[in-house]
Amino acid sequence: MMIREVAVMTTGDGSTGNDSGGKEVSKPDPDLLDFGKTVKAFRKRADWTQEEFRRRVGYSLQYVSSVEQGRRHPSAAFIRKAEEVLDAFGVIDIAAKRLTRRRGLASWFRQWADLEKEAIALNTYECRSVPGLLQTEACARALVADVLPLPSPPEAEARIAARIDRQALLTRIPYTIFSFIIDEAVILRQTGGPGVTRELIDHLLTVGELPNVDLQIMPLVSPHHAGLGGAFRLLETTEHEWAGYTEGQQSGQVLADPKDISLLHQRYAKLRIQALNPTDSAGLLMRLRGSL
């Protein structure tokens, strides 16, 4: 896989539209295009023009055209009606589910999410919140609920579903090798409250026992800390290329320059030494749980 270095800036919260389907995108997403082609194929199978189809689903001609061209996110009502009138054997519903999962990812994160799927190794340092690959559903809900502007209920569910779906990477065969380093402060923050945090710690302990996962905690008191520049990630592709990723409030950047990758490798290597080893990290997590 060729890794392309790219920085993306947005002015929204990373969502790709809302459930009303009233928002067009300036650059079609591949999954939107696939969904539009699916609808168009079934419309042509029914031997209907766009005008005939739009009357049957109750939407404007412009709306239908935009959906088929991959420029508009379809509403849940449109998806249901299209599946019904086109008698699509559930194919449109399936295409919509894939679209929903994709929709739940921030626009600036999608390239990295695609790289994750092909990775053979993934290293993550996080000092702000629990990485999405390690979040429980309750933790994900608490984090999504705190993002402003507040998402619509369908968009919130899409974000949570996308986050949980990505976690299948942890147990797929052949294994991807994972290393996570998380600041203790992330746990002490108790995002979602004590109950959510207890469940989260139990989940972290379980994931930490997987044969392909190393989970380390950076203690709250750390005289030496190589991660003060912020959270970052590194991954190795099946072609043994390395890529890095950093993220800000409304932006994300995939890094491919060898100098940048070398710097992140150096910092991650130092963090692995400075953080508690996996066994001591598990002990700290159990003590934190006991204090809640």
Side-chain angles (χ1 to χ4, degrees):
M1 177 183 294
M2 181 65 68
I3 300 172
R4 179 170 57 90
E5 184 163 340
V6 60
V8 179
M9 298 294 293
T10 70
T11 56
D13 64 355
S15 63
T16 56
N18 54 43
D19 191 58
S20 69
K23 183 176 181 180
E24 288 197 5
V25 295
S26 56
K27 183 178 181 181
D29 179 276
D31 290 321
L32 271 179
L33 287 170
D34 287 345
F35 180 84
K37 289 176 181 177
T38 299
V39 172
K40 184 176 181 178
F42 276 96
R43 173 177 64 77
K44 286 185 172 294
R45 170 180 168 270
D47 198 26
W48 292 343
T49 64
Q50 284 187 343
E51 175 61 31
E52 290 173 313
F53 177 52
R54 76 97 188 163
R55 287 202 303 268
R56 293 171 186 267
V57 293
Y59 284 76
S60 70
L61 183 61
Q62 180 184 6
Y63 188 101
V64 168
S65 177
S66 294
V67 168
E68 289 191 355
Q69 292 174 33
R71 293 187 292 106
R72 183 186 295 269
H73 292 278
S75 69
F78 176 88
I79 293 166
R80 288 194 299 269
K81 195 65 176 177
E83 176 67 43
E84 176 187 336
V85 302
L86 292 172
D87 192 19
F89 313 108
V91 175
I92 289 178
D93 283 337
I94 292 171
K97 287 178 181 178
R98 174 176 172 79
L99 184 62
T100 299
R101 288 195 295 269
R102 183 79 173 181
R103 178 182 176 185
L105 297 174
S107 57
W108 57 83
F109 186 74
R110 290 177 189 164
Q111 185 190 5
W112 185 256
D114 288 339
L115 289 171
E116 275 186 339
K117 296 175 186 177
E118 306 298 326
I120 61 173
L122 181 65
N123 299 335
T124 300
Y125 165 63
E126 186 56 74
C127 55
R128 302 163 302 184
S129 62
V130 176
L133 288 172
L134 299 179
Q135 293 172 15
T136 61
E137 181 176 335
C139 176
R141 289 188 180 281
L143 288 166
V144 168
D146 283 338
V147 174
L148 298 176
L150 294 176
S152 67
E155 178 61 30
E157 292 302 318
R159 294 182 194 178
I160 294 164
R163 210 163 293 185
I164 300 304
D165 285 347
R166 286 176 52 232
Q167 295 178 5
L169 297 175
L170 293 169
T171 54
R172 72 176 180 183
I173 304 294
Y175 282 129
T176 299
I177 303 302
F178 290 92
S179 169
F180 296 97
I181 302 174
I182 306 171
D183 274 10
E184 182 183 356
V186 170
I187 310 299
L188 292 174
R189 190 172 297 123
Q190 297 187 29
T191 299
V196 171
T197 304
R198 279 193 293 270
E199 181 188 30
L200 172 65
I201 291 174
D202 289 342
H203 180 64
L204 292 176
L205 290 168
T206 298
V207 173
E209 293 177 352
L210 293 173
N212 58 317
V213 176
D214 282 336
L215 176 60
Q216 296 179 253
I217 303 297
M218 176 65 76
L220 185 63
V221 178
S222 304
H224 303 287
H225 196 317
L228 296 179
F232 63 91
R233 309 178 194 197
L234 285 160
L235 64 73
E236 182 181 7
T237 71
T238 53
E239 290 80 20
H240 306 294
E241 295 179 333
W242 282 88
Y245 179 76
T246 60
E247 188 174 84
Q249 284 280 338
Q250 290 296 103
S251 65
Q253 184 173 18
V254 174
L255 304 171
D257 188 291
K259 292 182 180 179
D260 292 330
I261 301 303
S262 175
L263 184 149
L264 293 183
H265 271 301
Q266 292 176 45
R267 291 180 181 175
Y268 201 81
K270 183 64 72 172
L271 282 167
R272 294 190 82 160
I273 296 171
Q274 295 169 340
L276 299 177
N277 64 42
T279 299
D280 290 342
S281 294
L284 175 58
L285 286 172
M286 287 187 282
R287 292 194 296 275
L288 291 175
R289 192 192 189 288
S291 68
L292 294 172

